[in-house]
Amino acid sequence: MTHANALTDPDALARNRARAAPDALFLQEIARDDVQDRLELVNKTFQSPAVVTAFPHIWEGAIADAAVFPETETLPLTTGGHDAVIHSMGLHWANDPVGQLIQCRRALKPDGLLLAVALGGQTLFELRAALAEAEIAVCGGLSPRVAPMGEVRDLGGLLQRAGLALPVADTVPLRVQYASMWHLMRDLRAMGEANALTSRLRRPTRRAVFERAADIYARAYPADSGDGIIATYELILLTGWAPDDSQQKPLRPGSAQARLADALRTDETSLPD
């Protein structure tokens, strides 16, 4: 049963993902490749990594010795059992994203690495705008159709709330060309990213809404070539470490042994009170 205040309907999300086409998961593949690149930049060999994902086949053989776990409300991770945890492309659907990160944090050994990838707030802003304008014009009101996704600053703040040290959040913007809005919506269904909001409209949408939205989209967000449309996806990558005494610590305020003005070879000017 879905809680009344839950943003995401887990049953609908599970159905959407069960219908996903294995050859349509290009966003999942991009996220995996980016995680692999970042792990190679870390000067550390991981002995007991874990991956949390709704699409385990994407990660088969991607990270040596990695254990793969399903993306569930209560993650089946072993407390203190992993030196790296990757949470792949699920936080944007999580009803409790902080809780997900806290569970990952608890699964880490001291100085263990968390890497989380999720869709960010700029994702599908074109589709959201076109559908909103069309539905208001045709029906006189709005219904939730695209999940509200977090901005990079907000998601970065979740790392600190989860008790992770050295938090970093950055984005990977992607612009994808489609023949039309209809092709984009088919692709979202094939990726398992169709509407799974608890407050979604439970009856069929009038075709006139989609026809008008497709026209609005084509006029407002054409591809650079003039053939088709552009859709924006934003991957947000969150990095944090389980606290450990070996990690760098910020200096106490006032403990500096040299003046910044001297280092910059400039004169220091006092600000007015």
Side-chain angles (χ1 to χ4, degrees):
M1 179 179 294
T2 302
H3 193 278
N5 295 325
L7 177 68
T8 299
D9 179 347
D11 293 333
L13 181 61
R15 287 194 299 270
N16 290 346
R17 286 174 166 172
R19 297 168 184 159
D23 60 350
L25 303 177
F26 74 93
L27 288 179
Q28 300 279 345
E29 293 170 351
I30 291 172
R32 177 202 60 203
D33 295 346
D34 204 298
V35 166
Q36 288 178 303
D37 291 342
R38 289 166 189 254
L39 288 176
E40 289 179 0
L41 295 175
V42 177
N43 187 25
K44 185 172 183 177
T45 300
F46 297 102
Q47 304 296 331
S48 54
V51 178
V52 175
T53 177
F55 299 101
H57 71 278
I58 292 291
W59 289 90
E60 288 179 0
I63 300 174
D65 301 318
V68 179
F69 295 91
E71 179 194 298
T72 52
E73 184 175 346
T74 301
L75 299 175
L77 297 169
T78 302
T79 301
H82 304 281
D83 53 8
V85 174
I86 292 91
H87 197 296
S88 178
M89 296 293 284
L91 286 181
H92 55 279
W93 284 117
N95 284 314
D96 183 12
V98 178
Q100 291 282 300
L101 294 179
I102 289 174
Q103 292 179 70
C104 292
R105 156 71 185 87
R106 289 174 178 167
L108 289 172
K109 299 177 181 180
D111 202 34
L113 172 65
L114 169 70
L115 262 172
V117 192
L119 292 177
Q122 294 303 305
T123 298
L124 301 178
F125 75 86
E126 305 96 340
L127 179 63
R128 184 183 292 111
L131 285 172
E133 182 178 342
E135 191 168 17
I136 289 173
V138 175
C139 302
L142 279 175
S143 60
R145 296 186 179 277
V146 180
M149 302 169 196
E151 300 296 336
V152 62
R153 179 176 298 181
D154 299 328
L155 291 176
L158 300 184
L159 293 170
Q160 292 178 307
R161 290 179 59 187
L164 290 151
L166 308 175
V168 176
D170 60 290
T171 66
V172 178
L174 303 169
R175 298 178 79 242
V176 181
Q177 183 171 335
Y178 289 95
S180 69
M181 189 192 81
W182 303 101
H183 290 81
L184 166 59
M185 293 176 66
R186 282 197 292 270
D187 209 17
L188 292 174
R189 286 193 293 272
M191 288 190 286
E193 295 289 341
N195 191 352
L197 295 171
T198 300
S199 56
R200 69 191 183 280
L201 192 67
R202 301 303 177 105
R203 62 180 184 275
T205 298
R206 293 166 59 182
R207 184 173 179 84
V209 172
F210 291 123
E211 291 176 342
R212 185 153 187 162
D215 181 62
I216 293 169
Y217 202 134
R219 287 186 285 104
Y221 307 106
D224 296 337
S225 64
D227 183 20
I229 61 168
I230 285 294
T232 297
Y233 298 98
E234 180 187 35
L235 296 186
I236 294 183
L237 289 106
L238 307 177
T239 306
W241 296 82
D244 186 69
D245 291 340
S246 66
Q247 294 167 350
Q248 294 179 337
K249 303 293 191 299
L251 294 174
R252 291 183 294 103
S255 63
Q257 300 298 311
R259 296 168 65 249
L260 179 60
D262 293 340
L264 297 176
R265 298 181 181 179
T266 188
D267 294 328
E268 183 177 352
T269 303
S270 298
L271 295 174
D273 294 333

